[in-house]
Amino acid sequence: MGNIFLKWIKKLNNFVHLLRENMSCWGLRSADGTPDRPHSDPKYSWETLQRQKRNWVWNQFFVLEEYTGTDPLYVGKLHSDVDKGDGNVRYVLTGSGASSIFTIDEKTGDIHATKRLDREEQGYYTLHAQAVDSKTNAPVEDESEFIVKVQDINDNEPKFLDGPYTAGVPEMSPLGTMVVQVTATDADDPTYGNSARVVYSIIHGQPYFSVEPKTGIIRTALPNMDRETRNQYVLIIQAKDMVGQMGGLSGTTSVTVTLTDVNDNPPRFSRKSYQYSVLESVPVPSVVAKLKAADADIDSNAEMDYHIIDGDARGVFNITTDEDTQEGVIFLQRPLDYETKSSFSLKIEATNRNIDPQFLTFGPFSDTAAVKVIVEDVNEPPVFYPLIRKLMVSEAARVGTVIGMVSASDPDSSSSAIRYSIDRNTDLERFFNVDALTGVISTAKALDRELNSVHNLTILATENQDPSQVGRGIVLIRVMDINDNAPVFAIEYETLLCENAAPGQVIQTISAVDKDEPPSGHRFYFSLAFSASNNNNFTLRDNKDNTASVLTKHADFRRQEQSLYLLPVLIVDSGSPALSSTNTLSVRVCDCDVDGIPQACGTVAFSLPQGLSTGALLAILGCIITLLVLMLLIMAMLRRRKAPLFLEDERDVRENIVRYDDEGGGEEDTEAFDMVALRNLNIIRDSKVQDISPETASVYPYSASAISRTSYKTLPDNIVFQEFIWDRLKVTEVDPSAPPYDSLQTYAFEGNGSVADSLSTLELPSSDSEQSYDYLSNWGPRFKKLADLYGDLEGSSISPSLSYHGELGPINI
């Protein structure tokens, strides 16, 4: 036991210098709370304390943590000078951990730790000791406080509290670039030994990265690491205590290092030349092609701009960048025309948008490629030259007057023939016609500029070879004015004349309007009509500014004598020839006040007789109303009839059903019809022509003479109708007033199987055909079948069923 005491005394001397600096490490307190430690007061100096006689004996202050023995750990011994060893002194221990952790022998003062201590949980314990009389429990010493400090051992490994780590470093960074700093914490006592002194090392991640042993700063160990080759590294960092010596504890963490991108790769086209095809009919601004230059970089470092730097299509195409895909999008800026140019050559350049100057030595951050665009031909509609044509016509132009001509051509190499027509939606009233072959526009109706001064027509140009190809042109026809409208009063004038008007007083100023618009403006001349030239009441003065003033000739107008005057005014315009109109001005005579304001105008009111009062008038009116009511009641009574309660006669009102069981004779019944008339196919019936002629003559006014030809009476029935149809067709072809648009007239053909003959059977006699139909072969493919059939008329007597397509539309024959 003496060796242990000496051992603790030696340790106590080792901590003397700490006790001088920190009195809390001394662990002694008097009963009144005054620290038993060196004091700034000279009487409490260290030397004084060493010389002072103590009643307590302290021989232990520290205890090791993590004791693993089976017996209680001896901590120290309390002893008082009063204790003579006779058992009269008893030792009492109180404070933190007393009884539960620390126990004391009441007779000897020995202190033991009964539990395993952990410095990381609690580093010291504050206890209170007191010596009392064992019999009376009276204190024989003042209570004193002391501290039992748990001495640290290396029982905790370093821990990375913030791990695992993620960090990034730009690619191509120079050697030694800092990536991230890691920190490990050791729970052991950093002030005692090397248990908490940590050093860092890299276990996995070499030779790309390194770590500083003391600071934990991770740096790049290789220069110019390329993200495009490898973009991520996982490092294992170790922290070891005991300054990394043998037996130290260690902990590890992972650090994921990602190489961030820099713009160190230029864009590159996968090919040096590209070829695309596009139809000439695509509209502006359609996309023609897309191409992309590859860039190994990402995000903003891969953004690029495309430009057309050379080629023979300047202004025809343009290129822009698709921000989502970084593709170069070539689009059309002007319409294409295969017949003008069938191919284009472009030189496209792709350039990085965000260039890092420190990597300019890697080469130009751009690339070029050749692009060839092939224009494919399509069947285009006819094109008008010019697209909008302006024409003028006088509103006095007669029907059939030629106004002008439009011209369209097929832009394709086939140069198909063209037929012209008017879009009737733009000419609903059919004022104009256009020649289908020449495009000459003429008037079809009389024009009136005052109703419509400008006509906006759409002219259609249709290819004969492909009717689906239709071109459209605009024709603006301005109707020129002629003097065809006479001037009239500008408004309906209401002229009031005071009875006390003075002679020569102006009672009204009039003006005129004219629907015409002469180039030099209007000039109107006013005068009284010839019938009013000898008027003694009023006179008219032309003001020479398209107005005129009406003046009185005398005074003393009397309303009772004449309350209304009608004054005819003649207005003449300045056109050529001049037009005039007579307008009547009404002048009412009024009773005016002293200021000339009319009070009452027109006819003087009828005055009641002096002897008839208002009451009498009301009585008369009441009688008249009463008589009218009585007459209405009598009329209503006469119209109302009361229905009888019983039928006037005993007629049976039930329905009578009569049934007949007679059957017809069927085909054998020859009594009801004249079978001879039905079976005779060759009897000449002039009534057929007579029945049809009046009806068709109303539609075709020029065909009456043709129908009455005597040759019909010498032909069979089927030939009669065939000749009738051909006459109608010929009349239509030569009729100058026939409309240019298509019309449809259908004549049904029943065939030759009917015993009664078909009224619509048409046959062409080869001997009577005098017209040549060779021109049908020039009308295009739509008339090919008709031309073939008409060309064989001389060798056949009956025409087969055919369809005729002309200006009047298809005629089924």
Side-chain angles (χ1 to χ4, degrees):
M1 185 65 68
N3 293 332
I4 297 176
F5 180 80
L6 294 175
K7 183 178 179 180
W8 284 109
I9 292 299
K10 184 178 179 180
K11 289 185 176 181
L12 180 60
N13 293 331
N14 293 333
F15 286 90
V16 168
H17 66 285
L18 296 175
L19 296 175
R20 291 177 176 177
E21 297 175 1
N22 190 349
M23 192 61 188
S24 64
C25 295
W26 184 251
L28 298 176
R29 293 180 184 271
S30 62
D32 58 359
T34 305
D36 286 338
R37 66 177 66 182
H39 199 272
S40 58
D41 193 331
K43 70 178 182 179
Y44 293 108
S45 64
W46 177 248
E47 292 76 8
T48 306
L49 289 176
Q50 282 184 326
R51 297 186 181 95
Q52 183 178 2
K53 182 178 179 180
R54 298 286 304 171
N55 292 332
W56 288 100
V57 177
W58 303 100
N59 58 8
Q60 187 67 43
F61 298 99
F62 296 93
V63 61
L64 288 175
E65 67 171 336
E66 304 294 343
Y67 172 70
T68 59
T70 58
D71 296 330
L73 178 64
Y74 181 75
V75 177
K77 184 181 181 65
L78 297 179
H79 182 72
S80 175
D81 294 341
V82 180
D83 187 4
K84 304 299 181 177
D86 53 4
N88 292 325
V89 176
R90 183 169 58 90
Y91 296 96
V92 178
L93 185 66
T94 59
S96 174
S99 299
S100 61
I101 298 176
F102 302 99
T103 61
I104 188 169
D105 190 324
E106 295 181 350
K107 295 181 179 181
T108 64
D110 292 333
I111 302 174
H112 293 81
T114 60
K115 291 185 178 180
R116 194 171 166 184
L117 303 179
D118 187 356
R119 190 199 66 84
E120 286 71 39
E121 292 183 2
Q122 186 168 349
Y124 62 91
Y125 297 86
T126 304
L127 300 173
H128 299 271
Q130 191 171 30
V132 298
D133 187 285
S134 59
K135 296 179 180 180
T136 62
N137 289 330
V140 298
E141 291 282 355
D142 293 336
E143 184 183 71
S144 182
E145 178 185 281
F146 67 96
I147 296 175
V148 178
K149 185 173 182 180
V150 183
Q151 189 174 5
D152 183 46
I153 65 173
N154 189 18
D155 60 342
N156 291 281
E157 74 277 4
K159 294 182 180 180
F160 293 92
L161 302 180
D162 296 329
Y165 295 85
T166 58
V169 62
E171 64 173 331
M172 311 305 291
S173 296
L175 179 66
T177 302
M178 177 180 173
V179 180
V180 69
Q181 183 177 16
V182 296
T183 303
T185 302
D186 197 319
D188 294 327
D189 189 358
T191 63
Y192 179 76
N194 296 324
S195 299
R197 295 182 62 185
V198 178
V199 294
Y200 301 92
S201 62
I202 183 167
I203 297 177
H204 180 72
Q206 295 174 334
Y208 306 104
F209 299 92
S210 63
V211 61
E212 293 183 359
K214 294 183 178 181
T215 62
I217 296 176
I218 301 174
R219 300 182 184 274
T220 58
L222 289 179
N224 301 329
M225 286 188 290
D226 191 3
R227 185 200 65 84
E228 288 72 34
T229 303
R230 182 178 177 183
N231 66 341
Q232 194 174 78
Y233 300 84
V234 178
L235 314 180
I236 303 298
I237 305 298
Q238 182 188 68
K240 190 174 183 180
D241 58 13
M242 299 300 292
V243 200
Q245 297 177 1
M246 185 73 66
L249 302 179
S250 64
T252 60
T253 188
S254 65
V255 180
T256 302
V257 180
T258 302
L259 297 183
T260 58
D261 186 52
V262 297
N263 192 6
D264 59 337
N265 293 280
R268 289 290 180 264
F269 286 104
S270 59
R271 292 182 293 171
K272 285 299 180 184
S273 63
Y274 299 83
Q275 181 171 316
Y276 303 95
S277 298
V278 60
L279 297 176
E280 65 171 333
S281 59
V282 296
V284 176
S286 298
V287 175
V288 176
K290 293 183 178 181
L291 70 164
K292 184 176 182 180
D295 194 326
D297 297 321
I298 59 175
D299 299 333
S300 62
N301 296 318
E303 294 179 355
M304 61 190 74
D305 295 319
Y306 295 88
H307 305 280
I308 300 176
I309 60 175
D310 198 6
D312 57 355
R314 192 170 299 276
V316 179
F317 302 98
N318 200 354
I319 189 169
T320 186
T321 302
D322 188 329
E323 296 298 335
D324 295 330
T325 63
Q326 292 301 310
E327 290 180 305
V329 181
I330 302 175
F331 61 92
L332 194 63
Q333 278 192 315
R334 291 191 314 200
L336 299 175
D337 187 5
Y338 171 83
E339 288 73 26
T340 303
K341 190 172 181 61
S342 60
S343 66
F344 297 90
S345 296
L346 309 174
K347 188 175 182 181
I348 306 298
E349 180 186 51
T351 305
N352 270 141
R353 190 176 297 170
N354 305 306
I355 299 177
D356 194 338
Q358 63 176 329
F359 299 110
L360 288 177
T361 56
F362 287 18
F365 283 78
S366 62
D367 195 17
T368 59
V371 176
K372 186 174 183 179
V373 181
I374 305 298
V375 182
E376 296 181 356
D377 188 25
V378 295
N379 190 10
E380 299 175 277
V383 178
F384 282 86
Y385 300 100
L387 179 62
I388 301 177
R389 181 175 292 276
K390 297 180 180 180
L391 303 175
M392 292 187 298
V393 61
S394 173
E395 65 175 326
R398 297 184 178 182
V399 174
T401 301
V402 174
I403 303 173
M405 183 177 69
V406 292
S407 176
S409 61
D410 184 5
D412 300 317
S413 56
S414 59
S415 298
S416 172
I418 294 175
R419 293 177 61 83
Y420 300 95
S421 61
I422 297 177
D423 184 355
R424 290 304 175 183
N425 290 325
T426 62
D427 187 24
L428 297 176
E429 298 185 20
R430 302 180 182 274
F431 283 108
F432 304 96
N433 287 331
V434 62
D435 190 278
L437 300 178
T438 63
V440 173
I441 300 175
S442 58
T443 58
K445 284 185 177 180
L447 304 176
D448 189 352
R449 188 203 64 83
E450 286 71 35
L451 295 178
N452 194 351
S453 61
V454 177
H455 295 266
N456 188 345
L457 306 182
T458 298
I459 307 297
L460 307 179
T462 307
E463 290 186 11
N464 287 343
Q465 296 180 2
D466 186 4
S468 64
Q469 298 297 325
V470 179
R472 288 172 170 79
I474 305 299
V475 176
L476 299 177
I477 301 177
R478 182 181 178 186
V479 181
M480 305 304 295
D481 186 37
I482 62 172
N483 191 25
D484 58 344
N485 292 278
V488 295
F489 277 156
I491 60 173
E492 288 289 336
Y493 292 101
E494 182 181 3
T495 304
L496 303 179
L497 173 63
C498 293
E499 291 180 317
N500 56 355
Q505 179 179 341
V506 176
I507 60 173
Q508 186 67 62
T509 300
I510 57 176
S511 61
V513 293
D514 194 331
K515 294 181 180 180
D516 297 321
E517 293 183 0
S520 58
H522 291 287
R523 176 67 177 93
F524 302 121
Y525 303 95
F526 299 88
S527 62
L528 292 177
F530 180 77
S531 60
S533 58
N534 296 325
N535 177 27
N536 296 324
N537 298 311
F538 305 99
T539 184
L540 184 69
R541 183 181 65 200
D542 193 338
N543 298 326
K544 309 299 183 182
D545 58 355
N546 291 337
T547 64
S549 300
V550 179
L551 298 86
T552 58
K553 282 188 175 181
H554 62 83
D556 299 331
F557 288 93
R558 292 292 181 266
R559 188 158 55 105
Q560 292 80 2
E561 298 176 359
Q562 186 172 352
S563 61
L564 177 65
Y565 295 89
L566 300 178
L567 186 65
V569 179
L570 179 66
I571 308 175
V572 183
D573 62 18
S574 59
S576 178
L579 297 180
S580 63
S581 68
T582 300
N583 301 263
T584 301
L585 180 66
S586 299
V587 181
R588 294 183 178 277
V589 181
C590 302
D591 182 16
C592 302
D593 57 12
V594 294
D595 296 327
I597 299 176
Q599 300 297 319
C601 300
T603 306
V604 178
F606 175 74
S607 58
L608 295 175
Q610 296 295 329
L612 191 60
S613 64
T614 304
L617 289 176
L618 293 176
I620 296 173
L621 182 60
C623 294
I624 295 174
I625 294 175
T626 303
L627 291 176
L628 290 175
V629 171
L630 290 175
M631 292 178 64
L632 291 174
L633 291 175
I634 293 172
M635 293 177 64
M637 294 288 291
L638 292 176
R639 289 184 179 182
R640 184 175 180 181
R641 294 181 180 179
K642 190 172 183 180
L645 297 177
F646 302 99
L647 295 176
E648 296 179 359
D649 53 1
E650 296 297 331
R651 291 178 296 177
D652 190 357
V653 296
R654 293 176 298 172
E655 294 182 354
N656 296 322
I657 300 175
V658 181
R659 181 174 180 180
Y660 298 93
D661 292 331
D662 295 340
E663 296 183 357
E667 295 180 355
E668 297 180 358
D669 186 4
T670 59
E671 300 298 330
F673 304 99
D674 186 359
M675 300 304 296
V676 176
L678 292 176
R679 290 173 178 169
N680 192 344
L681 305 180
N682 297 319
I683 295 178
I684 305 301
R685 293 186 297 272
D686 295 339
S687 60
K688 292 182 180 180
V689 176
Q690 294 173 0
D691 291 343
I692 295 175
S693 298
E695 178 184 353
T696 56
S698 62
V699 179
Y700 300 96
Y702 300 100
S703 59
S705 60
I707 288 298
S708 62
R709 294 190 306 171
T710 57
S711 60
Y712 287 170
K713 297 184 179 182
T714 61
L715 297 174
D717 289 348
N718 52 356
I719 301 300
V720 169
F721 285 99
Q722 179 177 327
E723 289 297 321
F724 170 73
I725 296 300
W726 283 117
D727 285 343
R728 295 297 181 274
L729 181 60
K730 292 177 184 179
V731 170
T732 302
E733 289 178 346
V734 299
D735 186 6
S737 63
Y741 53 89
D742 292 342
S743 63
L744 173 64
Q745 299 182 15
T746 303
Y747 301 88
F749 174 47
E750 298 179 359
N752 295 325
S754 176
V755 297
D757 268 353
S758 173
L759 296 179
S760 62
T761 300
L762 305 178
E763 296 181 356
L764 286 175
S766 58
S767 59
D768 293 344
S769 179
E770 299 177 357
Q771 183 175 358
S772 174
Y773 299 99
D774 294 340
Y775 60 88
L776 294 177
S777 60
N778 298 327
W779 284 11
R782 292 178 60 184
F783 298 90
K784 184 175 183 307
K785 183 66 177 178
L786 189 63
D788 294 342
L789 293 174
Y790 273 55
D792 296 336
L793 287 178
E794 296 181 358
S796 62
S797 61
I798 298 176
S799 171
S801 177
L802 54 88
S803 296
Y804 169 72
H805 296 266
E807 291 184 352
L808 297 178
I811 301 178
N812 298 327
I813 301 178

